[in-house]
Amino acid sequence: MLEDWIYFLLPRIFCGLAFTVNPIFVYLVFTEKQAKFGNYRFLLLFFAIFNLIYSVLSVIVPIDIHSYRYCYFLITRNGWFVQRSTFNFHMMSARCSLVGASYAILLIHFIYRYLAIHNSDLTRNKFHWYMLFSIFTCVLYFGAWQALHICYFLEKANMEIREYIRQDFRLIYGNDSMNFNIIGALFNEGSDETRIKAFSSVLLSTSVSAVSIIMFLVLAITIVTQLKKMTRNASKKTSKFQFELLRALFVQTVIPIVISFSPCLLIWYSPVFGIQLPRGFNHFEISALGLFAFVDPVAITLSLPIFRKRMFSFCRQSTNAGKSSLHRGTQ
């Protein structure tokens, strides 16, 4: 019953929430005065579309994570793409690669904010070039995660890994590890080639994530410094709104780092030290990876005063209208 919740019901609940929250978020953005957000609206739309794609893929390609001694592995759990095949493997790796692509989404937002406060033409008259750059960056991150190292070349489970986890796999899943698409890494008790691939994949994936986060921090510090200089010349209202947008971007960044990057670190590094995470923790990791697609837009909405006021005003009006209807009905 618990596993039905984790791998069947929760992804659908998260997807339903994402398809509820993100359109509301887009509506708030595009019904606000154009001068407020400018072309940034389209980046936020891009962000919302990414969230919806992520949510749909989480439903149709539900993954499971497990660790055994010095090995961790991922499989597709239920659904249309469980059977071992090249196409199904690429679907599973695409599902994993979207986590990496989320860093690209955040990076293009930080770069836009940096360009905007420097009054770059790329944020105004040549914004179409910036959108092309944004799409290219996302494709690059996604492709690197899927094709170049993390999934296919270094972490596609070989026969040695399948044999290593075979007994535990049968105990946990009641099936043979030879019949499933598996992304995995074995850090000890294996051949030199398998261990080198495992450490290479973890170091590469950690490096991509860490470099992205460092870039976020560098851009954020630069933006804050520039905004402080802007307050001397720009109007108080303009500089305040820029700070609010940056604060919302911080929130937008912290959430995936906490609920996506942190679980990934535990997945990658606990087997290095022979730490086998309990199944309950694996369930938590899977749940956390599906959260940000609807949590992030909610957090951004609540962190921007212009949206927060509109939402609270709408809730008050709905409550008052409900009370008035109830009062008329009792008369």
Side-chain angles (χ1 to χ4, degrees), residues 317-331:
Q317 290 174 7
S318 299
T319 302
N320 292 337
K323 289 180 179 178
S324 299
S325 299
L326 182 63
H327 179 69
R328 287 195 298 269
T330 56
Q331 287 180 344

Side-chain angles (χ1 to χ4, degrees), residues 225-243:
T225 303
Q226 186 63 28
L227 283 175
K228 288 180 179 179
K229 293 178 181 179
M230 277 180 59
T231 54
R232 302 169 190 169
N233 302 317
S235 67
K236 184 177 180 181
K237 187 176 181 180
T238 300
S239 58
K240 180 183 178 183
F241 184 63
Q242 290 295 332
F243 271 109

Side-chain angles (χ1 to χ4, degrees), residues 97 138-152 208:
S97 298
C138 289
V139 171
L140 184 65
Y141 265 73
F142 180 87
W145 221 271
Q146 182 176 17
L148 296 179
H149 52 267
I150 297 172
C151 290
Y152 194 83
V208 171

Side-chain angles (χ1 to χ4, degrees), residues 71-87:
C71 177
Y72 79 84
F73 59 89
L74 287 78
I75 64 169
T76 304
R77 189 69 183 272
N78 304 324
W80 300 328
F81 306 101
V82 173
Q83 186 177 358
R84 186 177 177 182
S85 71
T86 301
F87 178 77

Side-chain angles (χ1 to χ4, degrees), residues 287-301:
S287 301
L289 288 173
L291 281 171
F292 88 92
F294 78 89
V295 170
D296 232 14
V298 170
I300 297 169
T301 300

Side-chain angles (χ1 to χ4, degrees), residues 62-108:
I63 60 171
D64 191 5
I65 302 168
H66 186 62
S67 59
Y68 171 68
R69 294 174 64 83
Y70 294 97
C71 177
Y72 79 84
F73 59 89
L74 287 78
I75 64 169
T76 304
R77 189 69 183 272
N78 304 324
W80 300 328
F81 306 101
V82 173
Q83 186 177 358
R84 186 177 177 182
S85 71
T86 301
F87 178 77
N88 290 351
F89 177 82
H90 281 295
M91 288 298 296
M92 179 172 65
S93 62
R95 163 72 174 85
C96 299
S97 298
L98 280 181
V99 177
S102 65
Y103 291 110
I105 295 289
L106 297 171
L107 181 60
I108 61 178

